[in-house]
Structures are given as structure tokens and as C-alpha cells.
Amino acid sequence: MNTANVARSRHIPWFFVAGFAIVFAVNATMIAFAVGSFSGLYTPKPRDRGLHYNEIIAAQQARDALGWRVEPTWQPGSDSIEIAVFDHAGQPLAGAQVAVALVRPAEKGAVVGVEMAAVDIGRHAGHVSLPARGNWDVDISVEQGGQRFAQTRRMFLR
């Protein structure tokens, strides 16, 4: 074996070390971005929610027993959202108060509240200026006669 091949052979293990160092550096960078950008928690107090899980299930069963139905509709031309509310018989729910909040599912952004106004029996509408287009969780709360119905719908708003 000549000296040129021996000198070249000494560097080969260091190429492997450098390659693995690059892989580890890229992985460490990706992990840092992943951990720092989203905690994975959707509720502010997940432990408390877990401790009161049975109460949450009972509230959801009471909501389902009402038989109410909500149908959100996004109007992209006017940047408004319309919520149609129906009772258990499929008739528009009269005299209901509707509250709507928009939340980005993948970001820790502020909740975008929407002021809703009744436009017809069982129909409410509100204008909203979205900070970004895309997927939004539409948190809808309906109250009427001391009864409360809440539901979240994921919608693509553009």
C-alpha cells in the first residue's frame, strides 16, 4: 500500500464522525424547535379537567339530551360567520343567545371573539377580521331559558 492511500484511509473514519455530528446537530435543532413552539396542551389546566372528568361527561350528556343542533357557515366575501341553531324537532331555536370564539388549533394565539347578533329566528351572524386564514376551531355557545349548549367545530376559514 502506498503512502497516499494510507493518508487517505486515515481520514475516512473522521468523515463518518463528521456525518453523525451533522445528523445529531440537525436533530437537536429540530427537537428544540418542536418543544419550544407547541406544548401539546389545548386546555389551560389539563390536570383540573382530568380530575373533573365525570362532571364534564355529565355536562356533555345533558347537552346531547337537549337535542339542539348548530350549523356554522363562513361567508368569505364579507368575512362573517353565521350560526343557525335548531331545537330537538329541527325548528329554529327562538330567543337564544349565541357566543362564538375562534381559536387556531396549532398555535398559542389569542382567542378571537366574535360579537353575534340575531338576524332571524334561530340565526345569528357576526363580522370577524381574521389575523390568518386556515384551520380554526369555532367554539359555539348557545343559551336559552337557563339551558346551555356548547360545541366546537373545526372549519377552514379563508
Side-chain angles (χ1 to χ4, degrees), residues 8-136:
R8 191 178 321 148
S9 298
R10 286 188 203 157
H11 297 300
I12 291 175
W14 291 109
F15 288 135
F16 283 105
V17 171
F20 278 108
I22 290 170
V23 169
F24 287 133
V26 169
N27 285 343
T29 303
M30 298 294 251
I31 289 170
F33 280 129
V35 170
S37 65
F38 180 59
S39 68
L41 298 176
Y42 185 72
T43 58
K45 295 182 179 180
R47 182 179 182 279
D48 292 341
R49 183 175 168 93
L51 290 174
H52 301 290
Y53 183 71
N54 290 337
E55 296 168 15
I56 293 168
I57 295 297
Q60 289 173 342
Q61 289 172 341
R63 177 200 72 189
D64 294 343
L66 289 173
W68 294 356
R69 193 177 83 240
V70 294
E71 293 181 3
T73 307
W74 175 249
Q75 306 295 333
S78 61
D79 285 343
S80 63
I81 189 163
E82 184 176 301
I83 307 293
V85 184
F86 302 97
D87 64 12
H88 66 281
Q91 299 299 314
L93 188 65
Q97 299 295 319
V98 176
V100 173
L102 303 173
V103 180
R104 291 286 292 200
E107 295 178 11
K108 291 182 191 175
V111 175
V112 177
V114 182
E115 288 197 32
M116 302 297 287
V119 293
D120 199 358
I121 297 173
R123 288 183 43 222
H124 297 75
H127 176 78
V128 60
S129 296
L130 294 175
R133 306 297 184 190
N135 280 326
W136 288 84

